[in-house]
Coordinates of all heavy atoms in Angstrom, one line a residue:
Y1 N -11.3 -6.5 -44.5 CA -11.2 -6.5 -43.0 C -12.6 -6.4 -42.5 O -13.4 -5.5 -42.8 CB -10.3 -5.4 -42.5 CG -8.9 -5.5 -42.8 CD1 -8.4 -5.8 -44.1 CD2 -8.0 -5.4 -41.8 CE1 -7.0 -6.0 -44.4 CE2 -6.6 -5.5 -42.0 CZ -6.2 -5.8 -43.3 OH -4.8 -5.9 -43.5
P2 N -12.9 -7.3 -41.5 CA -14.1 -7.1 -40.8 C -14.2 -5.8 -39.9 O -13.2 -5.4 -39.4 CB -14.3 -8.4 -39.9 CG -12.9 -8.8 -39.7 CD -12.1 -8.4 -40.9
L3 N -15.4 -5.2 -39.9 CA -15.5 -4.0 -39.1 C -15.4 -4.4 -37.6 O -16.1 -5.2 -37.1 CB -16.9 -3.3 -39.4 CG -17.2 -2.1 -38.7 CD1 -16.3 -1.0 -39.1 CD2 -18.6 -1.7 -39.0
R4 N -14.5 -3.6 -36.9 CA -14.4 -3.9 -35.5 C -15.3 -3.0 -34.8 O -15.3 -1.7 -34.8 CB -12.9 -3.5 -35.0 CG -12.7 -3.7 -33.6 CD -11.3 -3.4 -33.2 NE -11.2 -3.6 -31.8 CZ -10.1 -3.2 -31.0 NH1 -9.1 -2.6 -31.7 NH2 -10.1 -3.4 -29.8
R5 N -16.3 -3.6 -34.1 CA -17.3 -2.8 -33.4 C -16.8 -2.6 -32.0 O -16.3 -3.5 -31.3 CB -18.6 -3.5 -33.4 CG -19.1 -3.8 -34.8 CD -20.6 -4.2 -34.8 NE -21.1 -4.7 -36.1 CZ -21.2 -4.0 -37.1 NH1 -20.9 -2.7 -37.1 NH2 -21.6 -4.5 -38.3
Q6 N -17.0 -1.4 -31.5 CA -16.6 -1.1 -30.1 C -17.6 -0.1 -29.5 O -18.2 0.8 -30.2 CB -15.2 -0.4 -30.1 CG -14.7 -0.1 -28.7 CD -13.3 0.3 -28.7 OE1 -12.6 0.2 -29.7 NE2 -12.8 0.9 -27.7
R7 N -17.9 -0.2 -28.2 CA -18.8 0.7 -27.5 C -18.2 1.0 -26.2 O -17.7 0.1 -25.5 CB -20.2 0.0 -27.3 CG -21.1 0.6 -26.3 CD -22.2 1.2 -26.9 NE -23.1 1.9 -25.9 CZ -23.9 2.8 -26.3 NH1 -24.1 3.1 -27.5 NH2 -24.6 3.3 -25.3
Q8 N -18.2 2.2 -25.8 CA -17.7 2.6 -24.5 C -18.9 3.1 -23.7 O -19.7 3.8 -24.0 CB -16.7 3.8 -24.7 CG -16.0 4.0 -23.4 CD -14.9 5.0 -23.6 OE1 -15.1 6.1 -23.9 NE2 -13.6 4.6 -23.4
V9 N -19.0 2.5 -22.5 CA -20.1 2.7 -21.6 C -19.6 3.3 -20.3 O -18.6 2.8 -19.7 CB -20.8 1.4 -21.2 CG1 -22.0 1.6 -20.3 CG2 -21.3 0.7 -22.5
C10 N -20.2 4.4 -19.8 CA -19.8 5.0 -18.6 C -20.8 4.6 -17.5 O -22.0 4.8 -17.6 CB -19.8 6.5 -18.7 SG -19.3 7.4 -17.1
I11 N -20.3 3.9 -16.5 CA -21.1 3.5 -15.3 C -20.5 4.1 -14.1 O -19.4 3.7 -13.7 CB -21.1 2.0 -15.2 CG1 -21.7 1.4 -16.5 CG2 -22.0 1.6 -14.0 CD1 -21.6 -0.1 -16.6
R12 N -21.2 5.0 -13.4 CA -20.7 5.7 -12.2 C -19.3 6.2 -12.4 O -18.4 5.8 -11.5 CB -20.8 4.7 -11.0 CG -22.3 4.5 -10.7 CD -22.4 3.8 -9.4 NE -23.9 3.6 -9.1 CZ -24.3 3.1 -8.1 NH1 -23.5 2.9 -7.1 NH2 -25.6 2.9 -8.0
D13 N -19.0 6.9 -13.4 CA -17.7 7.5 -13.6 C -16.6 6.6 -14.0 O -15.4 6.9 -13.9 CB -17.3 8.4 -12.5 CG -18.3 9.6 -12.3 OD1 -18.8 10.1 -13.3 OD2 -18.5 10.0 -11.2
R14 N -16.9 5.3 -14.2 CA -15.9 4.3 -14.7 C -16.3 3.9 -16.1 O -17.4 3.7 -16.4 CB -15.9 3.1 -13.8 CG -15.3 3.5 -12.4 CD -15.0 2.2 -11.7 NE -14.5 2.6 -10.4 CZ -14.7 1.9 -9.2 NH1 -15.5 0.8 -9.3 NH2 -14.2 2.3 -8.1
Y15 N -15.3 3.8 -17.0 CA -15.5 3.5 -18.4 C -15.2 2.0 -18.6 O -14.3 1.5 -18.2 CB -14.7 4.3 -19.3 CG -15.2 5.8 -19.4 CD1 -14.8 6.8 -18.5 CD2 -16.2 6.1 -20.3 CE1 -15.3 8.0 -18.5 CE2 -16.7 7.4 -20.3 CZ -16.3 8.3 -19.5 OH -16.8 9.6 -19.5
Y16 N -16.2 1.4 -19.4 CA -16.0 0.0 -19.8 C -16.0 -0.1 -21.3 O -16.8 0.7 -21.9 CB -17.1 -0.8 -19.2 CG -17.1 -0.8 -17.7 CD1 -17.7 0.2 -17.0 CD2 -16.5 -1.8 -17.0 CE1 -17.8 0.2 -15.7 CE2 -16.5 -1.8 -15.6 CZ -17.1 -0.8 -14.9 OH -17.1 -0.8 -13.6
E17 N -15.2 -0.9 -21.9 CA -15.2 -1.1 -23.4 C -15.9 -2.4 -23.7 O -15.6 -3.4 -23.0 CB -13.8 -1.1 -23.9 CG -13.1 0.3 -23.8 CD -11.7 0.2 -24.4 OE1 -11.3 -0.8 -25.0 OE2 -11.0 1.2 -24.2
A18 N -16.7 -2.4 -24.7 CA -17.2 -3.7 -25.2 C -16.8 -3.8 -26.7 O -16.8 -2.8 -27.4 CB -18.8 -3.7 -25.1
L19 N -16.4 -5.0 -27.1 CA -15.9 -5.3 -28.4 C -16.8 -6.2 -29.2 O -17.5 -7.1 -28.5 CB -14.5 -5.8 -28.4 CG -13.5 -4.9 -27.6 CD1 -12.2 -5.6 -27.5 CD2 -13.4 -3.5 -28.3
G20 N -16.8 -6.2 -30.5 CA -17.5 -7.3 -31.3 C -18.9 -7.4 -31.0 O -19.7 -6.5 -30.9
K21 N -19.4 -8.7 -30.8 CA -20.8 -9.0 -30.7 C -21.3 -8.5 -29.4 O -22.5 -8.0 -29.3 CB -20.9 -10.5 -30.7 CG -22.4 -11.0 -30.7 CD -23.0 -10.7 -32.0 CE -24.4 -11.3 -32.1 NZ -25.1 -10.8 -33.2
T22 N -20.5 -8.4 -28.3 CA -20.9 -7.8 -27.1 C -21.3 -6.3 -27.3 O -22.3 -5.9 -26.7 CB -19.8 -7.9 -26.0 OG1 -19.5 -9.3 -25.8 CG2 -20.3 -7.4 -24.6
A23 N -20.5 -5.6 -28.1 CA -20.8 -4.1 -28.3 C -22.1 -4.1 -29.1 O -23.0 -3.2 -28.8 CB -19.7 -3.6 -29.1
E24 N -22.4 -4.9 -30.1 CA -23.6 -4.9 -30.8 C -24.9 -5.1 -29.9 O -25.8 -4.5 -30.0 CB -23.6 -6.0 -31.9 CG -22.7 -5.7 -33.0 CD -22.6 -6.8 -34.0 OE1 -23.6 -7.5 -34.2 OE2 -21.5 -6.9 -34.7
L25 N -24.7 -6.1 -29.0 CA -25.9 -6.4 -28.1 C -26.1 -5.3 -27.1 O -27.2 -5.0 -26.8 CB -25.6 -7.8 -27.3 CG -25.6 -9.0 -28.2 CD1 -25.1 -10.2 -27.4 CD2 -27.0 -9.3 -28.8
I26 N -25.0 -4.7 -26.6 CA -25.2 -3.6 -25.7 C -25.9 -2.4 -26.4 O -26.8 -1.8 -25.8 CB -23.9 -3.1 -25.0 CG1 -23.5 -4.2 -24.0 CG2 -24.0 -1.8 -24.4 CD1 -22.1 -3.9 -23.5
N27 N -25.6 -2.2 -27.7 CA -26.2 -1.1 -28.5 C -27.7 -1.4 -28.6 O -28.5 -0.5 -28.6 CB -25.6 -1.0 -29.8 CG -24.4 -0.1 -29.9 OD1 -24.4 0.9 -29.1 ND2 -23.5 -0.3 -30.8
Q28 N -28.2 -2.7 -28.7 CA -29.5 -3.0 -28.8 C -30.2 -2.7 -27.5 O -31.4 -2.2 -27.5 CB -29.7 -4.4 -29.1 CG -29.3 -4.8 -30.6 CD -29.4 -6.3 -30.9 OE1 -29.9 -7.0 -30.0 NE2 -28.9 -6.6 -32.0
F29 N -29.6 -2.9 -26.4 CA -30.3 -2.8 -25.1 C -30.2 -1.4 -24.5 O -31.1 -0.9 -23.8 CB -29.7 -3.7 -24.0 CG -30.1 -5.2 -24.2 CD1 -29.3 -6.1 -24.7 CD2 -31.4 -5.5 -23.9 CE1 -29.8 -7.4 -24.9 CE2 -31.9 -6.8 -24.1 CZ -31.0 -7.8 -24.6
V30 N -29.1 -0.7 -24.8 CA -28.8 0.6 -24.1 C -29.2 1.7 -25.1 O -28.4 2.1 -25.8 CB -27.4 0.7 -23.7 CG1 -27.1 2.0 -23.0 CG2 -27.0 -0.4 -22.7
K31 N -30.5 2.1 -24.9 CA -30.9 3.3 -25.8 C -31.1 4.6 -25.0 O -31.1 5.7 -25.5 CB -32.2 2.9 -26.4 CG -32.1 1.8 -27.4 CD -31.3 2.1 -28.6 CE -31.3 0.9 -29.5 NZ -30.3 1.0 -30.5
T32 N -31.2 4.4 -23.6 CA -31.3 5.6 -22.7 C -30.4 5.5 -21.6 O -29.9 4.3 -21.3 CB -32.8 5.7 -22.2 OG1 -33.1 4.6 -21.4 CG2 -33.8 5.7 -23.3
K33 N -30.2 6.5 -20.8 CA -29.3 6.5 -19.7 C -30.0 5.7 -18.5 O -29.2 5.4 -17.6 CB -29.1 7.9 -19.2 CG -28.2 8.7 -20.2 CD -27.9 10.1 -19.6 CE -27.0 10.9 -20.5 NZ -26.7 12.2 -20.0
E34 N -31.2 5.4 -18.5 CA -31.8 4.7 -17.5 C -31.7 3.2 -17.5 O -32.3 2.5 -16.6 CB -33.3 5.1 -17.4 CG -33.5 6.6 -17.0 CD -33.5 7.5 -18.2 OE1 -33.7 7.1 -19.3 OE2 -33.1 8.7 -18.0
T35 N -31.1 2.6 -18.4 CA -30.9 1.2 -18.6 C -30.0 0.6 -17.5 O -28.9 1.3 -17.3 CB -30.4 0.8 -19.9 OG1 -31.3 1.3 -20.9 CG2 -30.3 -0.7 -20.1
I36 N -30.4 -0.4 -16.8 CA -29.6 -1.0 -15.7 C -29.0 -2.3 -16.3 O -29.6 -3.1 -16.8 CB -30.5 -1.3 -14.5 CG1 -31.1 -0.1 -14.0 CG2 -29.6 -1.9 -13.4 CD1 -32.1 -0.3 -12.9
L37 N -27.6 -2.3 -16.2 CA -26.9 -3.5 -16.7 C -26.1 -4.1 -15.5 O -25.5 -3.3 -14.7 CB -25.9 -3.1 -17.8 CG -26.5 -2.6 -19.1 CD1 -25.3 -2.3 -20.0 CD2 -27.3 -3.6 -19.7
E38 N -26.1 -5.4 -15.4 CA -25.1 -6.1 -14.6 C -23.9 -6.5 -15.5 O -24.1 -7.1 -16.5 CB -25.7 -7.3 -14.0 CG -24.8 -8.2 -13.2 CD -25.5 -9.4 -12.6 OE1 -26.4 -9.2 -11.7 OE2 -25.3 -10.5 -13.2
V39 N -22.7 -6.0 -15.2 CA -21.6 -6.2 -16.0 C -20.4 -7.0 -15.4 O -20.1 -6.8 -14.3 CB -21.0 -4.8 -16.4 CG1 -19.8 -4.8 -17.3 CG2 -22.0 -3.9 -17.1
S40 N -20.0 -8.0 -16.2 CA -18.7 -8.7 -15.8 C -17.7 -8.2 -16.7 O -17.9 -8.0 -18.0 CB -18.9 -10.2 -16.0 OG -19.9 -10.7 -15.1
F41 N -16.4 -8.0 -16.2 CA -15.4 -7.4 -17.1 C -14.0 -8.0 -16.7 O -13.9 -8.5 -15.6 CB -15.4 -5.9 -17.0 CG -15.0 -5.3 -15.8 CD1 -13.7 -4.9 -15.5 CD2 -16.0 -5.1 -14.7 CE1 -13.4 -4.4 -14.2 CE2 -15.7 -4.6 -13.5 CZ -14.4 -4.2 -13.3
E42 N -13.1 -7.8 -17.5 CA -11.7 -8.1 -17.2 C -10.9 -6.9 -17.5 O -11.2 -6.1 -18.3 CB -11.1 -9.3 -17.9 CG -11.2 -9.2 -19.4 CD -10.8 -10.5 -20.1 OE1 -11.1 -11.6 -19.6 OE2 -10.1 -10.4 -21.1
I43 N -9.8 -6.7 -16.7 CA -8.9 -5.6 -17.0 C -7.8 -6.0 -17.9 O -7.2 -7.0 -17.6 CB -8.3 -5.1 -15.6 CG1 -9.4 -4.7 -14.7 CG2 -7.3 -4.0 -15.8 CD1 -8.9 -4.3 -13.2
Q44 N -7.7 -5.3 -19.0 CA -6.7 -5.6 -20.0 C -5.7 -4.5 -20.1 O -6.1 -3.3 -19.8 CB -7.3 -5.8 -21.4 CG -8.2 -7.1 -21.5 CD -8.7 -7.3 -22.9 OE1 -8.5 -6.4 -23.8 NE2 -9.4 -8.4 -23.1
S45 N -4.5 -4.8 -20.3 CA -3.4 -3.8 -20.3 C -2.7 -3.9 -21.7 O -2.7 -4.9 -22.3 CB -2.4 -3.9 -19.2 OG -1.7 -5.1 -19.3
R46 N -2.1 -2.7 -22.1 CA -1.3 -2.7 -23.3 C -0.1 -1.7 -23.1 O -0.4 -0.7 -22.4 CB -2.1 -2.4 -24.5 CG -2.7 -1.0 -24.6 CD -3.4 -0.8 -25.9 NE -4.0 0.6 -25.9 CZ -3.4 1.7 -26.2 NH1 -2.2 1.6 -26.6 NH2 -4.0 2.8 -26.1
Q47 N 1.0 -2.1 -23.6 CA 2.1 -1.2 -23.4 C 2.4 -0.5 -24.8 O 2.2 -1.0 -25.9 CB 3.4 -2.0 -23.0 CG 3.2 -2.5 -21.6 CD 4.4 -3.3 -21.2 OE1 5.2 -3.7 -22.0 NE2 4.6 -3.3 -19.9
F48 N 2.8 0.7 -24.6 CA 3.1 1.5 -25.9 C 4.2 2.6 -25.5 O 4.5 2.8 -24.3 CB 1.9 2.2 -26.4 CG 1.2 3.2 -25.5 CD1 1.5 4.6 -25.6 CD2 0.4 2.8 -24.5 CE1 1.0 5.5 -24.8 CE2 -0.2 3.8 -23.6 CZ 0.1 5.1 -23.8
T49 N 4.8 3.2 -26.5 CA 5.8 4.3 -26.3 C 5.1 5.5 -26.8 O 4.6 5.7 -27.9 CB 7.0 4.0 -27.2 OG1 7.5 2.7 -26.9 CG2 8.0 5.0 -26.9
N50 N 5.1 6.5 -25.9 CA 4.4 7.8 -26.2 C 5.4 8.7 -27.1 O 6.5 8.3 -27.4 CB 4.0 8.6 -25.0 CG 5.1 9.1 -24.1 OD1 6.3 9.0 -24.5 ND2 4.8 9.5 -22.9
S51 N 4.9 9.8 -27.5 CA 5.6 10.7 -28.4 C 7.0 11.2 -27.8 O 7.9 11.6 -28.5 CB 4.8 11.9 -28.8 OG 4.4 12.6 -27.7
N52 N 7.1 11.1 -26.4 CA 8.4 11.5 -25.8 C 9.3 10.4 -25.6 O 10.4 10.5 -25.0 CB 8.1 12.2 -24.4 CG 7.2 13.4 -24.5 OD1 7.4 14.2 -25.4 ND2 6.5 13.7 -23.4
G53 N 9.0 9.3 -26.2 CA 9.9 8.0 -26.1 C 9.7 7.3 -24.8 O 10.5 6.4 -24.5
E54 N 8.7 7.6 -24.0 CA 8.5 7.0 -22.7 C 7.7 5.8 -22.8 O 6.7 5.8 -23.5 CB 7.9 7.9 -21.6 CG 8.7 9.2 -21.4 CD 7.9 10.2 -20.6 OE1 6.7 10.3 -20.8 OE2 8.5 10.9 -19.8
E55 N 8.1 4.6 -22.1 CA 7.2 3.4 -22.1 C 6.0 3.7 -21.2 O 6.2 4.1 -20.1 CB 8.0 2.3 -21.6 CG 9.1 1.7 -22.6 CD 8.5 1.1 -23.8 OE1 7.5 0.3 -23.6 OE2 9.0 1.3 -24.9
R56 N 4.8 3.4 -21.7 CA 3.6 3.7 -20.9 C 2.8 2.4 -21.0 O 2.9 1.5 -21.9 CB 2.8 4.8 -21.5 CG 3.5 6.1 -21.6 CD 3.8 6.8 -20.3 NE 2.5 7.0 -19.7 CZ 2.3 8.0 -18.8 NH1 3.2 8.8 -18.6 NH2 1.1 8.1 -18.3
T57 N 1.9 2.3 -20.0 CA 0.9 1.2 -19.9 C -0.5 1.8 -19.8 O -0.7 2.6 -19.0 CB 1.2 0.2 -18.7 OG1 2.5 -0.2 -18.8 CG2 0.3 -1.0 -18.7
A58 N -1.4 1.3 -20.7 CA -2.8 1.7 -20.6 C -3.6 0.5 -20.2 O -3.3 -0.6 -20.5 CB -3.2 2.2 -22.0
Y59 N -4.6 0.8 -19.4 CA -5.5 -0.2 -18.9 C -6.9 0.0 -19.3 O -7.3 1.2 -19.4 CB -5.5 -0.2 -17.3 CG -4.2 -0.6 -16.8 CD1 -3.2 0.4 -16.4 CD2 -3.8 -1.9 -16.6 CE1 -2.0 0.1 -15.9 CE2 -2.5 -2.2 -16.1 CZ -1.6 -1.3 -15.7 OH -0.4 -1.5 -15.3
A60 N -7.7 -1.0 -19.6 CA -9.1 -0.9 -20.0 C -9.9 -2.0 -19.3 O -9.5 -3.1 -19.1 CB -9.2 -1.0 -21.5
N61 N -11.1 -1.6 -18.9 CA -12.1 -2.5 -18.4 C -13.0 -3.0 -19.6 O -13.7 -2.3 -20.1 CB -13.0 -1.8 -17.4 CG -12.3 -1.3 -16.2 OD1 -11.3 -1.9 -15.7 ND2 -12.7 -0.1 -15.7
V62 N -12.7 -4.3 -20.0 CA -13.4 -4.8 -21.2 C -14.4 -5.8 -20.7 O -14.2 -6.7 -20.0 CB -12.3 -5.6 -22.1 CG1 -13.0 -6.2 -23.3 CG2 -11.2 -4.6 -22.5
V63 N -15.7 -5.4 -21.2 CA -16.8 -6.2 -20.8 C -16.8 -7.6 -21.4 O -16.5 -7.7 -22.6 CB -18.2 -5.5 -21.3 CG1 -19.4 -6.4 -21.0 CG2 -18.3 -4.2 -20.6
T64 N -16.9 -8.7 -20.5 CA -17.0 -10.1 -21.0 C -18.4 -10.6 -21.2 O -18.7 -11.3 -22.0 CB -16.1 -10.9 -20.2 OG1 -16.5 -10.8 -18.8 CG2 -14.6 -10.6 -20.4
H65 N -19.2 -10.2 -20.2 CA -20.6 -10.6 -20.1 C -21.5 -9.5 -19.5 O -20.9 -8.7 -18.7 CB -20.9 -11.8 -19.2 CG -20.1 -13.0 -19.7 ND1 -18.8 -13.3 -19.3 CD2 -20.5 -14.0 -20.5 CE1 -18.4 -14.5 -19.8 NE2 -19.4 -14.9 -20.6
F66 N -22.7 -9.4 -19.9 CA -23.6 -8.5 -19.2 C -25.0 -9.0 -19.2 O -25.3 -9.9 -20.0 CB -23.6 -7.1 -20.0 CG -24.3 -7.0 -21.3 CD1 -25.6 -6.6 -21.3 CD2 -23.7 -7.5 -22.5 CE1 -26.3 -6.6 -22.5 CE2 -24.4 -7.5 -23.7 CZ -25.7 -7.1 -23.7
K67 N -25.8 -8.4 -18.3 CA -27.2 -8.8 -18.3 C -28.1 -7.5 -18.1 O -27.7 -6.7 -17.3 CB -27.4 -9.7 -17.0 CG -28.9 -10.2 -16.9 CD -29.2 -10.8 -15.6 CE -28.3 -12.0 -15.2 NZ -28.8 -12.6 -14.0
C68 N -29.1 -7.4 -18.9 CA -30.0 -6.2 -18.8 C -31.0 -6.5 -17.7 O -31.7 -7.5 -17.7 CB -30.7 -6.0 -20.1 SG -31.6 -4.5 -20.1
L69 N -31.0 -5.6 -16.7 CA -31.9 -5.8 -15.6 C -33.1 -4.9 -15.6 O -34.0 -5.0 -14.7 CB -31.1 -5.5 -14.2 CG -29.9 -6.3 -14.0 CD1 -29.2 -5.9 -12.7 CD2 -30.3 -7.8 -13.9
G70 N -33.3 -4.1 -16.7 CA -34.4 -3.4 -16.9 C -34.1 -1.8 -16.8 O -33.0 -1.4 -17.1
R71 N -35.1 -1.1 -16.5 CA -35.0 0.4 -16.5 C -35.2 0.9 -15.1 O -36.0 0.3 -14.4 CB -36.0 1.0 -17.5 CG -36.0 0.4 -18.8 CD -35.6 1.4 -19.8 NE -35.6 0.9 -21.2 CZ -34.6 0.8 -22.0 NH1 -33.5 1.2 -21.6 NH2 -34.8 0.3 -23.2
S72 N -34.6 2.0 -14.8 CA -34.8 2.6 -13.4 C -36.0 3.5 -13.4 O -36.6 3.9 -14.4 CB -33.6 3.3 -13.1 OG -33.2 4.4 -13.9

């Protein structure tokens, strides 16, 4: 199985997930907290059943494109 790469980025108290090649590229650019990124994302949802048997829906902001704007 190929290794699934994932990176979670916190931007102003909102979390974004990056997968695959996007995660690898963000890892190369984001080494410090002062890195400024312009992020495009889509909201993805998934449904699951929790341990109490209740149907739940989880949402994630998944990065589709980003641009490194420099350091602050």
Side-chain angles (χ1 to χ4, degrees):
Y1 287 51
L3 182 63
R4 180 178 178 192
R5 301 194 190 292
Q6 182 172 348
R7 166 109 181 162
Q8 192 173 60
V9 181
C10 180
I11 302 171
R12 292 190 184 188
D13 297 327
R14 293 194 178 142
Y15 286 91
Y16 298 85
E17 292 181 8
L19 306 171
K21 189 67 173 174
T22 305
E24 291 176 27
L25 291 171
I26 287 176
N27 270 333
Q28 289 176 7
F29 285 106
V30 180
K31 298 295 183 189
T32 65
K33 291 183 179 180
E34 292 84 27
T35 302
I36 301 171
L37 295 178
E38 178 180 284
V39 177
S40 298
F41 67 94
E42 58 186 36
I43 299 173
Q44 292 183 355
S45 64
R46 64 178 178 86
Q47 294 183 334
F48 64 96
T49 304
N50 68 10
S51 59
N52 295 331
E54 301 169 326
E55 290 290 320
R56 304 291 299 212
T57 303
Y59 297 93
N61 299 325
V62 179
V63 176
T64 54
H65 297 89
F66 76 97
K67 184 192 304 185
C68 185
L69 301 177
R71 309 247 183 239
S72 61

